[in-house]
Every structure is written in structure tokens, then in C-alpha cells.
């Protein structure tokens, strides 16, 4: 059995969030993008710590745990993610908001791989042009395609 460590980041803190309780409550108007404060009340947390992400990364490195990842759950997590990658260079993958514009920067910051999900999907299908652009930018060896599904009312499994 292999243990794959994970550092989930939400609002700059290491957390474990109950699946599907984190909602994107961003609303866009013609003038601005606003974050709805109800996200804090609808998100359920199993675990929250004041310890920095870098401390967990150092533990994973010390224990020679490989194949782990840092997931940025929404905005405000870049500094914590960078601290974890810096503490365990090339030892952790990074996901959350990865796209063609920032994938190489995350690799340069110490990520072993970049994990992409929503960026390569459009209307529930893989956008092969975007996927190929990412492959051309970072190489297929350093790209992880995450396929997450959830059941909808229609009982169909669709990418989310």
C-alpha cells in the first residue's frame, strides 16, 4: 500500500473540507467580481490547522512520501502553496486554478507536476486544443489530468 499525502489549502490555511461542501459563490457583475460571504457558512471542515503548509511538506519529505499534492481550493492560497513547494522541491504536485498561463510558473516554483481539471473541459467534454497547448508548454510527463465526477439529478456522471 502507498500513502499519497495531500495538502489542501483554503483561504491560505491547511484544511480538510467535506466533499462537495465548498461552493463557488463568486458573482460577476458588469463592474466587478464579488465573493459571497455565505461560502464560509456552507463549507464543512473536518480539519483545520494553524501550522503552515511548508511544515507538512517538510514532514512528507522527511518521511520520503512521494506522489503527494497541494490543492489550492479557491483564491488566496498562492503564498501557502509556494511555501510547501519550496519546502519539498519536486516532491509535490500542484492543482487548483492551473492553466496555460501559470502551469510553467508552478513547475519553476518546485512542483513536480501540474494537475489540471476544469481548464481542459468545456461543456462537459475535453477541450483537446487546450490539452495539447498544455502538453506543448509543460510536457506530458509533468501533466496530470484530474477527472472528477459527481452524480447529477439526471443520474448521469458528468465531469465537474
Amino acid at each position: 500500500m502507498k500513502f499519497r499525502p495531500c495538502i489542501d489549502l483554503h483561504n491560505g490555511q491547511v484544511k480538510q473540507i467535506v466533499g462537495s461542501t465548498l461552493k463557488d459563490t463568486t458573482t460577476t457583475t458588469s463592474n466587478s467580481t464579488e465573493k459571497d460571504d455565505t461560502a464560509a457558512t456552507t463549507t464543512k471542515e473536518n480539519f483545520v490547522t494553524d501550522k503552515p503548509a511548508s511544515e507538512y511538506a517538510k514532514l512528507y519529505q522527511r518521511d520520503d512520501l512521494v506522489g503527494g499534492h497541494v490543492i489550492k481550493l479557491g483564491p488566496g492560497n498562492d503564498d501557502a502553496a509556494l511555501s510547501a513547494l519550496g519546502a519539498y522541491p519536486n516532491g509535490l504536485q500542484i492543482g487548483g486554478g492551473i492553466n496555460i498561463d501559470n502551469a510553467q510558473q508552478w513547475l519553476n516554483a518546485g512542483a513536480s507536476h501540474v494537475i489540471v481539471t476544469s481548464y481542459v473541459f468545456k461543456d462537459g467534454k475535453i477541450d483537446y486544443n487546450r490539452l495539447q497547448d498544455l502538453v506543448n508548454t509543460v510536457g506530458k510527463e509533468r501533466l496530470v489530468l484530474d477527472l472528477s465526477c459527481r452524480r447529477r439529478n439526471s443520474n448521469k456522471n458528468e465531469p465537474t
Side-chain angles (χ1 to χ4, degrees), residues 130-149:
R130 282 186 165 194
L131 180 58
Q132 188 60 55
D133 288 345
L134 277 167
V135 168
N136 293 342
T137 300
V138 301
K140 66 182 179 181
E141 302 82 14
R142 299 191 75 189
L143 182 62
V144 175
L145 182 59
D146 176 30
L147 176 60
S148 300
C149 295

Side-chain angles (χ1 to χ4, degrees), residues 4-132:
R4 291 192 179 242
C6 176
I7 301 171
D8 285 344
L9 299 171
H10 181 244
N11 295 328
Q13 283 186 290
V14 177
K15 297 182 180 182
Q16 182 186 37
I17 294 177
V18 176
S20 299
T21 65
L22 179 64
K23 305 291 184 204
D24 181 7
T25 55
T26 303
T27 55
T28 305
T29 64
S30 59
N31 297 329
S32 67
T33 300
E34 299 174 358
K35 202 69 166 171
D36 185 349
D37 289 335
T38 58
T41 58
T42 59
T43 301
K44 293 181 184 173
E45 301 164 338
N46 280 331
F47 175 79
V48 181
T49 182
D50 291 329
K51 293 181 181 177
S54 59
E55 190 166 329
Y56 289 93
K58 289 174 188 174
L59 287 173
Y60 300 157
Q61 183 180 40
R62 181 198 71 198
D63 293 340
D64 200 28
L65 297 173
V66 295
H69 58 262
V70 177
I71 303 296
K72 301 182 299 143
L73 300 169
N77 297 303
D78 286 356
D79 289 343
L82 288 167
S83 76
L85 297 177
Y88 191 4
N90 297 310
L92 296 166
Q93 303 171 7
I94 183 81
I98 306 300
N99 59 50
I100 194 71
D101 296 324
N102 63 22
Q104 188 61 54
Q105 294 167 359
W106 286 109
L107 292 173
N108 294 344
S112 65
H113 298 75
V114 289
I115 304 168
V116 295
T117 306
S118 57
Y119 178 75
V120 296
F121 289 96
K122 183 177 181 180
D123 299 323
K125 296 181 181 175
I126 294 176
D127 182 330
Y128 286 99
N129 291 326
R130 282 186 165 194
L131 180 58
Q132 188 60 55

